[in-house]
Amino acid sequence: MSDPKLWKRSDGRFTEVHTPFSTRAKELMDLYNGLRLPFLSTDERLDVLLHTKWTVKEFDCNLTREIVDLIDREADMLNRGRNEASLEGLRKRLSNLFLQFIETPEFNPEAARFQKVPRELLQRT
């Protein structure tokens, strides 16, 4: 999703083009990879959580509210000094919800190209 577009030129070579949609997809992918990184310090993890929270707060729906709630919960637990093992389930849930956020075309327009069934057809039934 986040790869730049390749346009073939008249001389046979290709030009890489970064569109706003592919740039947005790259930013979301970087955040997702950051959420899944193990062994970050508390400050690094809080930084990733804060950037993720700013990104999802651009939209207001049940999914984004749930992601923000999980981020706030994890930040609170980190500040209280909880160990990594106690945060494992929360982190898995957060990364799965953020992946769902990434795969939704309303939040990531580039995701529409990768859907097997267009979203409009799913909403009609």
Side-chain angles (χ1 to χ4, degrees), residues 70-115:
L70 291 176
I71 288 172
D72 290 341
R73 204 178 307 174
E74 182 177 345
D76 184 47
M77 292 174 84
L78 284 171
N79 287 327
R80 293 175 186 225
R82 297 297 299 257
N83 61 1
E84 298 287 321
S86 66
L87 298 171
E88 189 176 320
L90 179 67
R91 288 180 175 174
K92 180 116 177 132
R93 190 168 160 215
L94 176 58
S95 65
N96 286 337
L97 284 177
F98 192 70
L99 181 60
Q100 187 178 346
F101 176 83
I102 291 172
E103 292 173 344
T104 307
E106 288 82 20
F107 311 127
N108 180 13
E110 195 69 18
R113 293 188 323 123
F114 295 90
Q115 288 186 332

Side-chain angles (χ1 to χ4, degrees), residues 36-77:
R36 295 184 43 94
L37 277 176
F39 311 117
L40 291 177
S41 70
T42 301
D43 289 337
E44 291 170 332
R45 181 67 184 181
L46 287 172
D47 189 49
V48 170
L49 291 173
L50 186 61
H51 281 84
T52 305
K53 184 176 179 177
W54 286 338
T55 300
V56 299
K57 282 192 91 164
E58 295 173 15
F59 306 95
D60 186 32
C61 67
N62 289 335
L63 176 63
T64 59
R65 284 190 292 269
E66 191 170 353
I67 291 172
V68 168
D69 183 48
L70 291 176
I71 288 172
D72 290 341
R73 204 178 307 174
E74 182 177 345
D76 184 47
M77 292 174 84

